[in-house]
Amino acid sequence: MTEQRRAELAGRLEAVRERIAAACSAAGRNPGEVALLAVTKTVPAVDVATLIDLGVEAFGENRAQEAAAKAVEVAELRPAATPRWHFVGGLQRNKARTVAPWAARVESVDSVRLADALDAAVRRAADEGQRDAPLSVLLQYSVDGDPKRGGIPLDGPDGLLQLADHVAGCPALRLDGLMTVAPLGADPDAAFAAVEAAAARLRAAHPAATELSAGMSGDLEVAIRHGSTSVRVGTALVGERRIASG
Ligand SMILES: *Cc1c(COP(=O)(O)O)cnc(C)c1O
């Protein structure tokens, strides 16, 4: 870790925090209501350690294998730190056991089968002494139904509200809210307004599901205007991807 990289990360972090604060102020919201998730996919563990030194508490990853190895490396670099790891990518059921030992939250749950696999994997990890808390879960909502972006629609038998009822009955999972990736090319204001309405319907059925993970480097202001409680910021924080994601 060069001093130069540390200074770069510090400067970028300050700029991101200022954007969040300005967006909250414009929306009449308290900046304490919007958490920052640093998305560190493809970023080396040493950068994560530096971000921990700079006060970042939560990190998002989208590849199970890469993230599991990185969580171990970061723990070696900063043994006293307690970073929270969120999984934010598409997750195969057979990777649930790779994620269960280190993930505080999985933000991309979009099927009953995946929920059941995570529930079983978390209980197993608990039995093996690898974790003690339930897994926080966000359900991934798709505004436009495009399967390439991940997520599911709100209504219908395979919809998010049905899945929410199922997750609420999984003993090792805690249903905390909704996550979304805005559709490419759509009007972000209309897209995040739809997300806000979806989150409200989920909350009406499950009052404890208050989290809304929405907004990335390019659109965090719009997401905050529409009720985001957690922005997932990669590029604006760490720069362009540094190593191949694998
Ligand atoms: C990479 C990624 C982000 C961060 O995107 P940036 O545009 O780099 O800020 C957020 N959410 C998910 C699901 C991602 O995969």
Side-chain angles (χ1 to χ4, degrees):
M1 171 55 46
T2 63
E3 272 312 304
Q4 191 187 351
R5 177 64 173 160
R6 188 190 171 84
E8 182 194 341
L9 289 173
R12 286 177 174 276
L13 176 60
E14 195 182 326
V16 167
R17 290 211 188 283
E18 278 169 10
R19 281 179 63 190
I20 294 170
C24 285
S25 153
R29 300 183 60 196
N30 178 335
E33 294 172 21
V34 181
L36 170 63
L37 184 72
V39 179
T40 47
K41 62 191 184 205
T42 78
V43 170
V46 62
D47 276 1
V48 176
T50 301
L51 289 167
I52 289 172
D53 298 343
L54 293 167
V56 177
E57 295 170 342
F59 298 89
E61 292 282 336
N62 73 342
R63 303 276 183 138
Q65 235 89 29
E66 176 192 339
K70 202 180 295 181
V72 169
E73 251 188 283
V74 169
E76 283 165 6
L77 289 168
R78 293 294 181 275
T82 53
R84 288 191 311 281
W85 295 95
H86 293 197
F87 192 81
V88 301
L91 186 60
Q92 306 283 327
R93 272 183 310 147
N94 63 11
K95 293 287 170 57
R97 281 173 59 189
T98 310
V99 167
W102 52 268
R105 173 176 290 173
V106 172
E107 301 203 356
S108 45
V109 174
D110 61 1
S111 72
V112 165
R113 280 152 44 111
L114 177 57
D116 286 344
L118 285 168
D119 187 49
V122 168
R123 277 185 279 164
R124 183 186 176 117
D127 287 346
E128 291 174 355
Q130 294 174 310
R131 68 175 298 139
D132 50 17
L135 177 70
S136 168
V137 159
L138 304 186
L139 307 184
Q140 186 170 350
Y141 170 61
S142 169
V143 178
D144 62 356
D146 178 358
K148 286 199 296 293
R149 317 280 297 163
I152 52 176
L154 197 61
D155 294 296
D158 296 323
L160 192 138
L161 294 170
Q162 288 282 329
L163 179 57
D165 292 342
H166 182 83
V167 168
C170 291
L173 306 183
R174 194 181 65 229
L175 176 64
D176 279 337
L178 185 149
M179 181 273 244
T180 200
V181 181
L184 274 181
D187 168 21
D189 200 62
F192 284 119
V195 169
E196 188 175 21
R201 283 190 55 202
L202 173 62
R203 223 167 31 242
H206 296 275
T210 55
E211 295 283 340
L212 173 52
S213 172
M216 319 199 295
S217 292
D219 55 16
L220 67 88
E221 284 84 359
V222 193
I224 287 173
R225 189 157 77 237
H226 288 291
S228 172
T229 63
S230 178
V231 291
R232 307 181 307 269
V233 183
T235 315
L237 202 54
V238 297
E240 294 302 325
R241 311 281 172 236
R242 318 198 91 214
I243 55 177
S245 184

